[in-house]
């Protein structure tokens, strides 16, 4: 699915209301499905375990039959994003040409601050990463501090 195809499916400019992770109960590893519930629709990011790609759908499509569903909306990380507007998305393509991740930007309408999140498929699960916003402009002294850490 290309970025343009994803853009047709994802509810940009809609408010995130809930987020659920779904797990295979028989495997001790990360989530295999992320279920984003927005105002007008739900979007599922599914891991395809055969090639560790991701697929966007309106229902879970993981090949596992027994799920453990956990509402992560109130977790320390996700709680600040609930109620924010999805302002952009990008599909990530690995060096072999597979779509193995998607990044989301959630905007705070009062401050215009955007928090970025990446979901990346690997080892038949989703890994979640938060993108930290840092200034790209560092003076020489600040750069030396970062390089020496």
């Amino acid at each position: 699915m290309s970025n343009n195809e994803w853009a047709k499916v994802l509810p940009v400019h809609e408010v995130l209301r809930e987020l659920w992770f779904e797990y295979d109960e028989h495997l001790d590893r990360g989530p295999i499905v992320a279920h984003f519930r927005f105002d007008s629709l739900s979007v599922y990011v599914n891991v395809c375990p055969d090639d560790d790609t991701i697929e966007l759908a309106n229902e879970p499509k993981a090949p596992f039959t027994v799920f453990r569903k956990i509402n992560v909306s109130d977790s320390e990380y996700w709680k600040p994003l609930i109620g924010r507007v999805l302002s952009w998305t990008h599909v990530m393509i690995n060096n072999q040409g597979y779509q193995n991740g998607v990044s989301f930007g959630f905007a705070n309408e009062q401050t215009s601050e955007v928090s970025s999140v990446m979901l990346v498929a690997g080892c038949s699960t989703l890994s979640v990463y938060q993108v930290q916003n840092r200034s790209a402009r560092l003076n020489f002294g600040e750069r030396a501090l970062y390089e020496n850490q």
Side-chain angles (χ1 to χ4, degrees), residues 133-139 142-143:
N133 295 328
R134 292 197 176 186
S135 173
R137 295 181 183 202
L138 299 174
N139 67 36
E142 289 173 325
R143 189 174 73 225

Side-chain angles (χ1 to χ4, degrees), residues 11-47:
V12 176
H13 306 299
E14 289 223 15
V15 176
L16 178 63
R17 295 298 177 195
E18 281 186 318
L19 177 62
W20 292 77
F21 283 161
E22 299 182 16
Y23 299 81
D24 182 334
E25 284 189 335
H26 302 295
L27 300 174
D28 185 24
R29 57 179 152 187
I32 55 176
V33 176
H35 173 198
F36 292 84
R37 191 179 66 76
F38 294 93
D39 281 331
S40 68
L41 65 117
S42 288
V43 174
Y44 293 83
V45 177
N46 300 292
V47 174

Side-chain angles (χ1 to χ4, degrees), residues 9-149:
V9 177
L10 285 167
V12 176
H13 306 299
E14 289 223 15
V15 176
L16 178 63
R17 295 298 177 195
E18 281 186 318
L19 177 62
W20 292 77
F21 283 161
E22 299 182 16
Y23 299 81
D24 182 334
E25 284 189 335
H26 302 295
L27 300 174
D28 185 24
R29 57 179 152 187
I32 55 176
V33 176
H35 173 198
F36 292 84
R37 191 179 66 76
F38 294 93
D39 281 331
S40 68
L41 65 117
S42 288
V43 174
Y44 293 83
V45 177
N46 300 292
V47 174
C48 302
D50 294 336
D51 55 9
D52 282 335
T53 58
I54 57 169
E55 179 180 81
L56 190 70
N58 59 1
E59 62 185 27
K61 292 190 175 180
F64 308 99
T65 56
V66 181
F67 291 111
R68 179 173 36 115
K69 294 175 78 169
I70 297 175
N71 186 334
V72 295
S73 303
D74 287 332
S75 69
E76 180 180 337
Y77 175 72
W78 291 102
K79 190 172 186 172
L81 300 180
I82 302 300
R84 287 192 173 198
V85 174
L86 179 63
S87 76
W88 55 261
T89 61
H90 292 287
V91 175
M92 297 182 293
I93 299 173
N94 66 17
N95 61 350
Q96 296 173 343
Y98 293 110
Q99 295 177 356
N100 71 331
V102 62
S103 57
F104 299 95
F106 292 99
N108 180 329
E109 292 186 309
Q110 283 89 26
T111 65
S112 299
E113 172 192 342
V114 176
S115 297
S116 303
V117 178
M118 295 186 311
L119 298 176
V120 179
C123 299
S124 301
T125 65
L126 288 172
S127 294
V128 180
Y129 300 94
Q130 179 181 15
V131 179
Q132 298 291 327
N133 295 328
R134 292 197 176 186
S135 173
R137 295 181 183 202
L138 299 174
N139 67 36
F140 178 75
E142 289 173 325
R143 189 174 73 225
L145 286 173
Y146 283 111
E147 291 172 351
N148 292 327
Q149 290 182 356

